[in-house]
Every structure is written in C-alpha cells, then in structure tokens.
Amino acid sequence: MATLKNKVALITGGSRGLGAATARALAADGADIAITYVSSKEKAAAVVDELTALGVRARAFHNDQADTGAAPGLIVNVVEHFGGLDILVNNAAISVEQGVAVDSPDADIDEWDRMHATNYTGVIAVTRAATKVLRDGGRIVTVSSGVAARTGVPGLADYAATKAGIAAYTRGIARDLAPRGITANVIQAGLMETGMAPPDPETLAALTSSLAIQRQGRPEEQAEGIRFLVSPTASYITGAVLDTNGGYTA
C-alpha cells in the first residue's frame, strides 16, 4: 500500500527500537523518511539503507534532543533536504530511574536534567519548530508510556512525569492545530526491546505479570499504532491517547 506516497515523515530517535520499526512501517506505506540519532551513527546508517531499499528517500540527521536550541536547525535541514514535512513522530526519549523512598539512590542531577530535557522540553522544541512548516493536514504522534497513567512500580516518578506532561501538551496542541487539519495524538507504549536500559530482572518480571497480555511487546507491534494515527483513515482523531502496551493500563 502507498497510502503515504509523497509524504515526508520525521521520526526522532529512529536508529533503533520503536523508532526504527516506525520508520520501516511508514516507508512501507510510501513515505520518505528522516530519522535522528545521537550516538548510533552506524545503526542509523543501516536503517537508512533498509529504507532506501524499499524505494523511498531516507536520511539520518544527528540531533541531540536535550539541546532544545538545536530543534529549529533540525527542521530546517529536513525541509531543505526533502522539500517539506507532513508527519512528525516524537519518539526519542531516555529513562533514568529515580525514586524518593528513603533507601532509593538519587540519580545524578545532570542525568535527571537530561531526561527532562529529552523527554519533555526537547519534544516541545521540536514540535514547535515543526509546526511552523508542517503542511496542512499533517500528523503529529508523540510516544508516551503506560507509566504516564499507571506508574506500577517504584523508581519511575520523574520518568512518568515527563510522559504525562507531554500527553497533556499534545492535547493542548490538538486544539491549536485543528484549524489547519493537523492532528496531534499520543501512543502510550509499553514493555519492549528498544535499546534503552532494560529494567532489572525482578522489576521486568513484576511488570510483565501486571499486563493483560503477559509478555513484552515487539517494536513492530507498537509501531502499528503510530502507522494508524498518521494514516488518512485517522483524519478525525486528535487529542487522543492510544494504549499500545499489552493492557498495562487496563
């Protein structure tokens, strides 16, 4: 199917995990693909090779989302290379475990600041820059997490806050962008192999046992939620949260 032919999609954090799976899914639907990476240059190049083999244009851009000042330049570079922008998938994120219990170690303050910058202010910076050039009828999908609605285990308070905050932001911009026919939605993803630091085995077992579908999801499965929300058939859906987390929030 070529439902996204002549569309240009930017997927942040597209060198691995859910970002790479989303890039493949949208390329299979005909979209030209820009992905960003921070340190995985070789992995990003490999994804680009996969995408071009599907017959679409693709390019990887180095961008550290924690550097909010770099967002406008990223968008300019994407538009200069591809000639426009139709779809933004805010996928890049990091996780730092930090609890407030007496016996819980504090994260390094620089790590804590970097997580908030990457997961929250960085997403806003990229989105604000993108909306200046996003074509009417465009799509924005931001990857949140089931922990935004149900934390479930200790040590995730700050990470959960960044994800809940960006979901609220998305509901707001859905109102702002509706007159241009641009939709903005969230998927609340769940456990999967993404390349981020996995939970310790005990925590992973506890999280898996709390799911309705008691296994980790595959990135390709969760990318289908994004694929749907950026498709023409989702034109009347905006400001919504789609759970793709195996029933973690059920």
Side-chain angles (χ1 to χ4, degrees), residues 126-187:
V126 171
T127 301
R128 290 178 67 88
T131 56
K132 297 181 186 303
V133 299
L134 203 66
R135 294 183 178 116
D136 289 357
R139 300 282 190 268
I140 299 171
V141 178
T142 298
V143 178
S144 182
S145 167
V147 300
R150 173 180 174 268
T151 307
V153 295
L156 295 176
D158 290 292
Y159 177 71
T162 65
K163 292 302 188 179
I166 211 63
Y169 175 76
T170 299
R171 290 193 294 271
I173 64 171
R175 291 279 184 177
D176 297 340
L177 299 173
R180 294 174 53 194
I182 297 172
T183 65
N185 294 290
V186 166
I187 70 159

Side-chain angles (χ1 to χ4, degrees), residues 186-201:
V186 166
I187 70 159
Q188 287 189 157
L191 286 170
M192 61 183 154
E193 295 291 338
T194 64
M196 292 175 66
D200 63 78

